[in-house]
Amino acid sequence: QVQVMESGGGVVRPGRSLRLSCVASGFTFSTYGMHWVRQAPGKGLEWVAVIWYDGTNEFYAGSAKGRFTISRDNSKNTVYLQMNNLRAEDTAVYYCGRDGAPRDSSGYVEYWGQGTLVTVSS
Amino acid sequence: DIQMTQSPSTLSASVGDRVTLTCRASQNVNRWLAWYQQKPGTAPKLLIYTSSNLESGVPSRFSGSGSGTEFTLTISSLQPDDFATYYCQQYIVYPWTFGQGTKVEIK
């Protein structure tokens, strides 16, 4: 069955960097877009970024543009989120998810990981 | 960015009730809208995509409708497992955006 598992969360000081990883299994990874979505404590969901199945396109939320970079390694069934210049408001659970349709991104997240918590604090 | 507004923010209902949740978009999203359910401490779960398509494995008591700027999620007979927070999401144009959520609680 489809499984998605995030790692790399933790406590980091403002201005520092952190890289999240997400390993997927149970499907042909290289044919699906992958997303990152975050949720601040007690708040709603915020879409962060998507990368197309072949890595040729990436799109970001305004809050992530210029500071975060999504990438993927199809040989390792892994997608990454490099987060630079972190701020307190980036504190959230970060979910990785598989897109709903193969090839071009459908736009919705069909399968979700359990999330990894990032805390930005001095 | 397209703003998604859900109403009500909280809905109190009883088991067996028919409940309707609303999601409004600040501009036309055609039918490019999804609904998710989230329970505390767990990841969201996809319920509906493209406004009215039921995700595999989701009970048929859930249904979605709408197009353009107004959408609804209906639960025909609320079950104990349905008490959760529900989010809509548009995916017609980047950045994709979620509504703020509707919490369905026990009356």
Side-chain angles (χ1 to χ4, degrees):
Chain A
Q1 73 278 24
V2 173
Q3 291 192 319
V4 174
M5 184 173 294
E6 308 89 342
S7 63
V11 180
V12 61
R13 297 198 176 199
R16 304 300 291 266
S17 299
L18 198 65
R19 188 176 83 158
L20 305 182
S21 300
C22 169
V23 178
S25 62
F27 64 99
T28 306
F29 183 77
S30 61
T31 62
Y32 282 86
M34 296 295 293
H35 303 250
W36 288 97
V37 176
R38 70 183 182 181
Q39 187 169 36
K43 302 297 184 183
L45 301 172
E46 180 186 14
W47 178 79
V48 175
V50 64
I51 186 166
W52 283 25
Y53 67 103
D54 57 0
T56 56
N57 281 292
E58 307 155 27
F59 297 93
Y60 298 90
S63 57
K65 205 172 292 186
R67 297 188 303 126
F68 293 4
T69 302
I70 189 171
S71 62
R72 65 190 295 156
D73 184 340
N74 284 348
S75 69
K76 295 182 178 178
N77 285 9
T78 301
V79 61
Y80 305 98
L81 186 68
Q82 176 68 41
M83 303 186 293
N84 298 330
N85 190 21
L86 283 160
R87 308 165 180 162
E89 53 265 36
D90 296 317
T91 294
V93 173
Y94 285 73
Y95 294 102
C96 171
R98 195 203 81 174
D99 197 82
R103 302 295 176 182
D104 296 346
S105 178
S106 68
Y108 57 90
V109 181
E110 186 172 17
Y111 293 97
W112 297 69
Q114 83 291 347
T116 187
L117 177 62
V118 173
T119 302
V120 184
S121 173
S122 55
Chain B
D1 298 2
I2 296 177
Q3 299 257 30
M4 307 300 293
T5 303
Q6 293 184 239
S7 60
S9 295
T10 306
L11 188 157
S12 297
S14 302
V15 172
D17 284 352
R18 178 183 180 89
V19 299
T20 299
L21 286 59
T22 298
C23 175
R24 289 186 173 88
S26 62
Q27 61 190 75
N28 183 8
V29 301
N30 201 328
R31 292 177 57 83
W32 302 117
L33 186 110
W35 289 95
Y36 302 87
Q37 177 194 66
Q38 187 180 33
K39 298 178 183 178
T42 69
K45 173 187 173 183
L46 176 68
L47 298 176
I48 301 279
Y49 59 95
T50 323
S51 178
S52 60
N53 289 284
L54 193 68
E55 171 70 355
S56 176
V58 174
S60 60
R61 63 180 179 272
F62 291 92
S63 63
S65 65
S67 65
T69 62
E70 188 149 340
F71 300 85
T72 59
L73 174 70
T74 299
I75 309 173
S76 60
S77 178
L78 200 64
Q79 298 302 301
D81 191 47
D82 302 337
F83 291 97
T85 300
Y86 294 84
Y87 295 93
C88 61
Q89 178 224 335
Q90 65 81 18
Y91 51 97
I92 192 170
V93 63
Y94 294 107
W96 295 324
T97 46
F98 288 90
Q100 83 283 9
T102 291
K103 182 178 181 180
V104 177
E105 61 179 26
I106 300 173
K107 193 171 187 178

